[in-house]
Amino acid sequence: MEAAAVDERLVGGEHCRGPRRCGVGDGERCPGVDDPPTLLVCANRGSQSYDTIKARGILCVNTVSGGQEELSMRFAGANGLKDMKARFAGADWTTLITGAPALRAAIVACDCRVVHSVEVGTHDAFFCKVLAIREGRGSEGIVYFGRKFHRVTV
């Protein structure tokens, strides 16, 4: 998959018990349909966030901007980082409708409810209805290609 350039997104969820957040870096997502607005998010069943997303059925897809490469690497579990508090540290978070964490500095945050899922290999494909969108002010995005980040300006 390293030959595919993808914009970098963070997927965050909220645990069932207590105010604990979870999140993962996600390059395996794409637009689904536009009516109703739906995203397709693929999650590895072995990831720390999988059980929370599956059980709660909510998530927020945050498109990160230029300058947030380090945050994206934390969410990807770089250097073996598994501590969820550390993944969320140093960034400003809010919520929209579902309570899933939305990154204030995201280019766009899509707050979603999972409406359908399909098991495919090691992953589940979640079809996520977009309930709320918050657009940021960033004009520089990042894509991940060839195992490194590249900035894209519009």
Side-chain angles (χ1 to χ4, degrees):
M1 296 303 285
E2 73 180 66
V6 293
D7 59 324
E8 196 58 25
R9 305 211 181 183
L10 309 177
V11 176
E14 195 76 20
H15 282 278
C16 296
R17 294 182 290 283
R20 295 183 304 150
R21 296 181 284 194
C22 69
V24 337
D26 173 61
E28 301 171 72
R29 156 260 344 111
C30 64
V33 296
D34 62 354
D35 190 17
T38 306
L39 298 177
L40 175 64
V41 176
C42 295
N44 188 314
R45 285 190 293 281
S47 79
Q48 287 181 275
S49 299
Y50 172 81
D51 288 338
T52 298
I53 293 169
K54 183 77 172 177
R56 290 291 312 269
I58 60 170
L59 53 88
C60 188
V61 177
N62 299 280
T63 302
V64 296
S65 60
Q68 295 177 317
E69 294 89 346
E70 191 272 331
L71 176 64
S72 185
M73 290 304 291
R74 283 198 321 251
F75 270 74
N79 301 318
L81 179 64
K82 295 189 181 287
D83 179 35
M84 287 297 165
K85 283 186 180 181
R87 288 185 184 186
F88 283 90
D92 191 13
W93 299 90
T94 188
T95 58
L96 301 177
I97 292 175
T98 68
L103 179 64
R104 286 191 192 271
I107 293 173
V108 64
C110 297
D111 197 23
C112 303
R113 178 161 310 281
V114 175
V115 294
H116 185 65
S117 65
V118 177
E119 289 186 17
V120 181
T122 58
H123 289 61
D124 274 14
F126 294 111
F127 293 84
C128 306
K129 182 178 180 184
V130 178
L131 303 177
I133 297 173
R134 194 187 60 70
E135 292 186 62
R137 298 183 185 173
S139 62
E140 183 179 64
I142 56 175
V143 295
Y144 193 74
F145 174 75
R147 299 198 181 273
K148 52 187 174 175
F149 290 106
H150 305 273
R151 293 188 182 196
V152 178
T153 306
V154 283

